[in-house]
Amino acid sequence: MKKFLKWFSILAAAGTAIGLVIAYFCKSSADSGDGDGSEFTEDEDFDLDADLKPASDREYVSLNKNGEDESENAE
């Protein structure tokens, strides 16, 4: 049983070391930007100042489900 635990712990340590090395190289290659620039996300496309309407053109609506009924009852 001691032999099994010894070999198991050695293999677990070796597997962990190999996994860490692979993870390190995968992360460093992803950060370097090796791609051809085709990775385009929606966030890069969005320009807040250009995409929003002016404040005077915006319309606000009631969030109540029966907004019209309550306003008619109030009158």
Side-chain angles (χ1 to χ4, degrees):
M1 186 69 173
K2 285 184 179 182
K3 236 182 197 182
F4 174 73
L5 288 176
K6 181 180 177 181
W7 280 105
F8 181 75
S9 62
I10 290 172
L11 288 176
T16 302
I18 291 170
L20 288 173
V21 169
I22 291 171
Y24 174 76
F25 282 117
C26 287
K27 183 178 179 190
S28 65
S29 67
D31 291 342
S32 64
D34 293 345
D36 58 355
S38 63
E39 298 90 14
F40 193 73
T41 62
E42 185 178 340
D43 295 336
E44 295 170 352
D45 179 52
F46 184 73
D47 183 17
L48 186 62
D49 295 330
D51 290 343
L52 289 178
K53 295 179 182 178
S56 59
D57 294 342
R58 294 185 201 150
E59 297 178 12
Y60 296 98
V61 293
S62 174
L63 297 178
N64 295 333
K65 193 171 189 178
N66 299 327
E68 284 185 25
D69 297 336
E70 290 177 9
S71 63
E72 289 175 2
N73 292 339
E75 292 175 1

